[in-house]
Amino acid sequence: MIIRVYFLILCSFTSAQVITNNSFNSSRSIAMAGATVSNPGNTESVFSNPANLSNLSGSSFLLGSTQFYGQDNLNYEFAAFSFKLDKKNIMAITLQKLGVNANQYLNELSSELSISFSQGFHLLKDRNSSLSIGYNINYFILNQGNSAGTLGDGSNGVPGKKMYGLGLDLGFLASLRKKVSLGVFIKNINSPRIGQGSNAQFLPRRLNIGCSYSPSKFLKTSLVYERLIYSESNQFRFGVEYEFHQYFILRTGVQMKPNRFGFGFLSPINDNLSVAYGLITHPILPLTHNMEVGLHF
């Protein structure tokens, strides 16, 4: 039974990595089950649609940590910093890391690191509508630890190595009267690969298309379609964000194929500090939890 659980974790882990494909990065995306491409947040827009960076009014720093499926050895951390270049352009720098450990006494089995530079700017903006474009330039580092070898102690195992790659993401965001918005996000549009020779592998490309409707300033709803390019698997997501109070914003969402449910909240403590929490279910594995702290200035 234990072997089966770990096998399921590894299979699900392939869709939750920094380098491969991760739709659930920030607390917002986890709580809303990934329905954020047409309704991205502030600095966390770098994960779902960098085009929204053009709409930010100031600088922000976001720090978050996620524990996938209740496993101590599947920890994911990120830090994102967004800042203004001028009145029209906003840049962001993001660092993501996912480490996999055998246990607390052994060396790291593998780790993934991503360093991203992002920018968003307006192509069109007037009183009633806007059109924005944004991009991420991602530098990937995959670190593989030494293998145990036939003796099990690493003395005759395969030595560890590092592999590198460069990816490009592209996003578009259009809005009408601040009521309806349409978002498109393409992950790894340049079809990058990591490694060399026979060890080289192409990183998966992902397409997200979403539409959001905000009937009032307190309620936002989003519907998102996601597909891995060259894959027959489609996913549909629906998310809701409701502001009960200026200090408490509720988030929830559902996903189909597989069926998952997300829940969380954002609590702005003051104008400069916010705390967020999100969780998402899995059909078989335990819950995934996320905590975030944001600084705004």
Side-chain angles (χ1 to χ4, degrees):
M1 181 64 182
I2 295 177
I3 295 177
R4 181 183 177 186
V5 170
Y6 273 94
F7 176 75
L8 290 171
I9 290 174
L10 290 174
C11 291
S12 182
F13 178 58
T14 60
S15 64
Q17 299 186 48
V18 174
I19 289 179
T20 53
N21 178 38
N22 183 8
S23 298
F24 308 113
N25 303 80
S26 64
S27 176
R28 184 189 185 99
S29 61
I30 289 176
M32 298 181 67
T36 55
V37 63
S38 57
N39 182 29
N42 294 318
T43 304
E44 63 261 41
S45 300
V46 296
F47 302 121
S48 55
N49 194 340
N52 190 58
L53 291 174
S54 60
N55 295 315
L56 303 188
S57 58
S59 301
S60 298
F61 178 75
L62 192 65
L63 185 66
S65 177
T66 302
Q67 187 180 73
F68 287 107
Y69 315 121
Q71 302 298 310
D72 294 335
N73 57 351
L74 291 182
N75 287 328
Y76 163 72
E77 292 91 23
F78 68 86
F81 176 58
S82 62
F83 54 94
K84 273 192 171 184
L85 287 177
D86 50 46
K87 294 182 179 180
K88 296 182 179 180
N89 298 305
I90 292 185
M91 289 283 295
I93 300 175
T94 308
L95 178 66
Q96 303 176 68
K97 183 181 185 297
L98 177 66
V100 183
N101 301 310
N103 58 48
Q104 59 180 333
Y105 304 106
L106 298 181
N107 293 329
E108 194 172 57
L109 292 177
S110 68
S111 65
E112 301 180 6
L113 182 67
S114 173
I115 304 173
S116 304
F117 296 90
S118 311
Q119 183 180 13
F121 50 90
H122 289 291
L123 297 178
L124 170 68
K125 185 177 182 180
D126 55 34
R127 181 176 297 181
N128 297 319
S129 61
S130 66
L131 176 62
S132 305
I133 186 173
Y135 64 87
N136 298 327
I137 300 176
N138 309 305
Y139 183 64
F140 304 118
I141 304 173
L142 174 61
N143 183 23
Q144 295 181 334
N146 302 331
S147 67
T150 56
L151 299 178
D153 58 2
S155 59
N156 63 340
V158 178
K161 61 180 178 179
K162 289 186 177 181
M163 294 183 288
Y164 307 91
L166 189 66
L168 177 65
D169 307 333
L170 191 63
F172 299 90
L173 185 66
S175 65
L176 178 63
R177 298 184 182 275
K178 297 183 179 181
K179 291 286 186 179
V180 180
S181 60
L182 175 66
V184 177
F185 178 66
I186 307 174
K187 180 71 175 178
N188 291 329
I189 191 173
N190 63 324
S191 189
R193 64 180 182 177
I194 191 166
Q196 296 179 352
S198 60
N199 294 325
Q201 293 187 6
F202 286 94
L203 303 184
R205 291 187 291 170
R206 186 179 81 235
L207 172 65
N208 292 79
I209 302 175
C211 181
S212 297
Y213 174 62
S214 180
S216 70
K217 66 178 182 178
F218 303 106
L219 177 64
K220 298 177 181 178
T221 61
S222 299
L223 178 65
V224 173
Y225 164 80
E226 176 176 303
R227 182 185 181 119
L228 286 175
I229 300 177
Y230 301 124
S231 172
E232 297 181 357
S233 176
N234 301 313
Q235 292 181 342
F236 295 91
R237 298 163 176 172
F238 178 74
V240 177
E241 192 172 41
Y242 185 76
E243 183 178 340
F244 279 99
H245 190 271
Q246 62 175 337
Y247 296 119
F248 186 80
I249 300 174
L250 179 67
R251 297 165 172 168
T252 186
V254 293
Q255 173 190 279
M256 298 174 59
K257 292 185 179 181
N259 296 335
R260 307 182 74 171
F261 172 75
F263 177 81
F265 64 87
L266 171 67
S267 179
I269 298 176
N270 52 46
D271 293 337
N272 304 110
L273 178 64
S274 64
V275 177
Y277 169 78
L279 67 84
I280 191 168
T281 64
H282 190 276
I284 301 176
L285 301 175
L287 297 175
T288 292
H289 300 272
N290 170 275
M291 284 294 298
E292 272 182 17
V293 176
L295 298 175
H296 316 280
F297 44 91

